[in-house]
Amino acid sequence: MWKYILKRLLYMIPVLFGVSFLVFLILSLAPGDPAKAILGDQGTPEAIAQLREELGLNDPILVQYFRYAKNLVRGDLGMSYKTKGPVSKEIIARVPTTLKLTLSAIIIAVIVAIPLGIIAAVKQNTIFDGLSMFIALIGISIPIFWLGLLLLAQFAQKLGWFPAAGADSWKSFVLPGFALGFHSMASIARITRSSMLEVIRQDYIRTARSKGMTYNNVVRKHALPNALIPTITVTGLQVGYLLAGSVLTETVFSLPGIGRLIIYSIQGRDIPVVLGCILVFTIAFSVVNLLVDLLYAYVDPRIKAQYS
Amino acid sequence: MANNVNTKARGPIIEVIQRLAKNKAAMIGLAIVILLIVLALTAPLFYDYEQDIIKQNIPERFQKPNKDHLFGTDEFGRDLFARIIYGSRVSLSIGFSSVAVAFLVGGFLGAVAGYFGGWLDNIIMRFMDIFLAIPGTLFAITIAAALGDSIRNLIIALAISSVPGFARILRSSVISVRDVEFIEAAKAIGASDGRIITQHVIPNALAPVIVHTTLNVATIILTIAGLSFLGLGIRPPRPEWGQILSDGRSVILTYPHITASAGFAIMITILALNLLGDGLRDALDPRLK
């Protein structure tokens, strides 16, 4: 097991460098001169040329990348073109906001989705099933930013129940968490339903019923633990979606998180910051995927057996 | 011989279509998708792009939905119904063409990796791992931002970010049919690798790809709207759903019809594609039902 974890962690290193190279290359090929973007309208040609020299923008791309990679090995993400401060400081300052946002999204999604999926499966082909799956379908189809705008207009601007911007208290994360988590809720509810449906048709469920266990107990003790295994995977997969979705959600709700930092930095051609944010998201995503796989092995002894 | 192959191949396809036709939700989805495509294709017959879509008509601005303007008008007095219909041209054409590119490139890479295995598989899939490590649509956002916001660049950005998904799916379904007896038989009578892949492996590995394609168009249409909403996609005055939604956000309380028209357009399209995709999945794999 430990060997497997170590192997996975080690494999993350080349992937991360691959990602950094890929994104570095793409961003360097982008039209627009970062030096011009930093200096804005006041930049004289001489000042721009001097800044390009200072930032090392005149070197070949590979040279620039190796300089970046060398710092990356030491955990140094470079300096922001805009603030002139270290990129890591910019990002760390915004981690709590994005973390709170994605966590509240996941919590809201899971709390709503699992009961919805179970009810839909246990009461298959009834009005409960229909209603749950209808909600799930809306969740899959509605764009985050529209849902976000609607929630913001109704519950923040009109009714004033929640703040319309900022990340000052837990209240600031209710609406964004709901907007971001709604889509994941739908996916999780759907997978819970279909996996539950599959499980309740298994022989061991019939066995449990025939020895006189009540239906509710069978569902709770036998069906649910087995049915939730695919749910764990899907929930883990949603993390990638949530991280990417945080860009839109943070924009709609004016939350000072990493997602918004990416958009700001893209607009300002602040390449080191964009790269840093994407790397942080990629690391978070990889770690969560690893954790999900481990959790999977923990809850399913058949998979655990494969590792040892 | 040719005849024989044909009748054999037709059977399951008709069976799939029959199963799909019995699925009411999937049929609704299909009907909506077809309707959207027809509207998008015929829009220029009813509207003049310059006159009806782009030209500002300030006296008629911010009209609520009425009989002249089914969805009302926007902040420049332009008819929202016409702009939403024209917006579908943008979303659908970018959606379908990027999926087509991703399907060809990703499908090719996945089929080659799965069929040959070994070092080639390793190189291709390790490369795909790098792409897949970047969460969700973040990669598309980065490429779109880097390339600049022309339609061609958007298609490239969205296609690149969809390639790994196709590669992975085709690879695993190719692996699942690779060692089946009929492939061995084709090899035994001396068929070339290219022929075996295109004539035998891909047709038999296609079911999951078809489902993925349908759902991927939905994801891409959502991403286009998201990109335009962030100001990284389609530029005004060209009508695009995410763009229209973004335009209406400042007046969402007073004139909610602007954001609603674009929001519903996106939602119905995604819903239809999802219903169709789910229906296809059930029809292609009856074991799941």
Side-chain angles (χ1 to χ4, degrees), chain A residues 11 14-15 18-19 22-23 26-27 29-31 137-138 140-146 149-150 153-154 157-158 183 190 201 239-241 243-245 247-248 251-252 262-263 266-267 269 274 278 281-282 285-286, chain B residues 125-127 129-139 141-143 145-148 222 225-227 229-232 242 245-246 249 252-253 259-261 263-264 266-268 270-271 274-275 278 281 288-289:
Chain A
Y11 183 58
V15 168
V19 168
L22 197 67
V23 177
I26 292 170
L27 290 173
L29 294 175
L137 266 178
I138 291 180
I140 282 179
S141 329
I142 195 166
I144 304 181
F145 43 94
W146 187 39
L149 285 177
L150 289 175
Q154 191 60 38
Q157 292 168 346
K158 213 169 178 178
H183 181 278
R190 275 159 54 122
R201 284 176 198 152
V239 171
Y241 175 85
L243 289 174
V247 175
L248 284 162
T251 304
V252 170
I262 292 183
I263 297 302
I266 281 179
Q267 283 159 350
R269 295 255 161 264
V274 180
I278 290 178
F281 271 1
T282 305
F285 188 37
S286 309
Chain B
M125 292 326 285
R126 292 299 79 80
F127 196 63
D129 278 352
I130 293 175
F131 284 73
L132 285 165
I134 305 172
T137 50
L138 207 57
F139 196 41
I141 293 178
T142 318
I143 308 173
L147 293 176
L222 260 183
L227 281 170
F229 183 80
L230 292 169
L232 297 170
L245 227 160
S246 172
R249 61 193 286 197
I252 190 168
L253 280 179
T259 43
S261 60
F264 275 118
I266 301 170
M267 200 170 125
I268 286 167
I270 307 303
L271 187 71
N274 270 297
L275 290 176
D278 288 349
R281 177 181 300 152
L288 291 175
K289 259 275 158 187

Side-chain angles (χ1 to χ4, degrees), chain A residues 30-80:
Chain A
D33 185 349
K36 236 183 234 166
I38 297 164
L39 293 173
D41 294 335
Q42 301 111 337
T44 59
E46 293 79 33
I48 290 172
Q50 197 196 339
L51 189 61
R52 282 188 64 85
E53 193 59 44
E54 276 171 28
L55 296 173
L57 292 171
N58 294 327
D59 297 331
I61 287 180
L62 275 181
V63 174
Q64 290 186 42
Y65 176 70
F66 280 119
R67 196 162 48 218
Y68 183 82
K70 226 167 77 190
N71 290 332
L72 192 61
V73 175
R74 284 178 285 155
D76 179 3
L77 291 171
M79 295 286 181
S80 158

Side-chain angles (χ1 to χ4, degrees), chain B residues 23-71:
Chain B
N23 186 334
K24 247 188 254 158
M27 282 298 108
I28 295 173
L30 183 65
I32 297 174
V33 172
I34 292 175
L35 179 72
L36 280 168
I37 294 174
V38 171
L39 280 176
L41 288 175
T42 56
L45 300 176
F46 304 109
Y47 298 107
D48 178 66
Y49 185 69
E50 285 301 324
Q51 202 62 34
D52 300 321
I53 310 295
I54 304 292
K55 202 179 141 219
Q56 303 189 358
N57 186 5
I58 300 297
E60 295 206 9
R61 67 199 297 235
F62 291 136
Q63 282 189 26
K64 302 248 158 144
N66 56 50
K67 74 175 192 309
D68 289 332
H69 302 287
L70 212 53
F71 291 172

Side-chain angles (χ1 to χ4, degrees), chain A residues 14 40 46 50 53 98 116 128 156 175 204 236 266 287 290 307-308:
Chain A
E46 293 79 33
Q50 197 196 339
E53 193 59 44
T98 303
L116 219 56
F128 295 105
L175 297 178
Y204 60 83
I266 281 179
V287 170
L290 176 59
Y307 290 135
S308 40

